[in-house]
Amino acid sequence: QSALTQPASVSGSPGQSITLSCTGTSSDIGFYNYVSWYQQHPGKAPKLMIYDVSNRPSGVSNRFSGSKSGNTASLTISGLQSEDDGDYYCSSYTRSGTWVFGGGTKLTVL
Amino acid sequence: EVQLLESGGGLIQPGGSLRLSCAASGVTFSAHAMTWVRQAPGKGLEWVSLISGSGISIYYADSVRGRFTISRDNSKNTVDLHMNNLRAEDTAMYYCAMLGNGPNDYWGQGTLVTVSS
């Protein structure tokens, strides 16, 4: 039950594009297309931004996109805006029938 | 509108027990697996436990197996997390969540558990 691996921090300027990575194993990200990405602001519950690798829930900006290659999933945010500042977590369903989260990436919009 | 409302958190001494409860509304409760996720202060999300819609399949994180018990009552639309032999490292915000339903991913606002003497 090892956590997925995410970079601790990423920063970018308004208008830029950034990509957050999330690395797992062949028993989670590499096995299923059940990767989700969450945004979390201080004191708030996580908010779903991407589900099933690359799908956006209704109401989430199309500046957010997801992809996967092998055991690594990615979240790309284009046209960075100040409100994108926050913590981002990836998660994946696993072959054990459980869920696993990444350690989180703190995104700072400069 | 789907709502998940956790309750039962509080301050508890090491070695003590606590029961968290999550009440769901606005959803066909028995059709969905329910999950508990926790977040220690300043730390990331940690999956804790999952129970299937029927209650037959149950899973635990290694960090809580043998100390925590998850259960559900589909007649009351509630899911509980019984926590025994609590440790300082169990201090966290505990979220009740419905995961893995495509865009229909729901989280409660959380209930804070503090384990301290």
Side-chain angles (χ1 to χ4, degrees):
Chain A
Q1 295 182 346
S2 298
L4 305 175
T5 300
Q6 297 184 249
S9 63
V10 168
S11 62
S13 300
Q16 280 188 328
S17 291
I18 58 96
T19 297
L20 310 182
S21 63
C22 171
T23 301
T25 70
S26 57
S27 294
D28 39 64
I29 292 177
F31 195 82
Y32 290 110
N33 287 326
Y34 294 137
V35 178
S36 299
W37 287 90
Y38 296 90
Q39 177 192 66
Q40 187 180 36
H41 290 132
K44 299 294 188 181
K47 174 188 176 185
L48 183 68
M49 305 303 284
I50 295 288
Y51 67 94
D52 296 352
V53 175
S54 60
N55 295 287
R56 271 189 317 276
S58 174
V60 172
S61 171
N62 59 8
R63 298 184 298 104
F64 291 82
S65 62
S67 63
K68 187 186 88 167
S69 176
N71 297 338
T72 298
S74 299
L75 174 71
T76 297
I77 310 174
S78 59
L80 269 179
Q81 299 180 1
S82 58
E83 62 257 35
D84 300 333
D85 204 277
D87 296 324
Y88 289 81
Y89 295 92
C90 57
S91 75
S92 175
Y93 191 63
T94 80
R95 293 185 67 183
S96 302
T98 64
W99 292 88
V100 62
F101 288 91
T105 296
K106 181 175 181 58
L107 170 62
T108 302
V109 181
L110 301 171
Chain B
E1 179 190 5
V2 176
Q3 289 192 333
L4 301 176
L5 184 61
E6 303 95 336
S7 61
L11 175 63
I12 188 76
Q13 291 189 339
S17 298
L18 209 56
R19 187 190 78 173
L20 305 184
S21 189
C22 172
S25 60
V27 67
T28 305
F29 185 69
S30 61
H32 297 282
M34 295 299 295
T35 296
W36 286 95
V37 177
R38 69 183 181 182
Q39 186 170 33
K43 302 297 184 181
L45 301 172
E46 179 187 12
W47 176 85
V48 173
S49 184
L50 177 152
I51 185 167
S52 64
S54 65
I56 291 175
S57 298
I58 288 175
Y59 306 89
Y60 298 101
D62 290 343
S63 57
V64 307
R65 186 177 292 111
R67 300 186 300 121
F68 290 13
T69 301
I70 192 171
S71 62
R72 67 188 295 158
D73 186 335
N74 286 343
S75 68
K76 296 180 180 178
N77 286 8
T78 59
V79 56
D80 289 349
L81 187 67
H82 298 255
M83 305 185 296
N84 296 321
N85 191 19
L86 283 161
R87 306 165 180 168
E89 53 265 36
D90 295 319
T91 293
M93 182 71 76
Y94 283 74
Y95 293 101
C96 167
M98 286 184 180
L99 306 181
N101 301 294
N104 302 313
D105 185 285
Y106 303 108
W107 295 64
Q109 287 305 301
T111 186
L112 182 62
V113 173
T114 303
V115 184
S116 175
S117 55

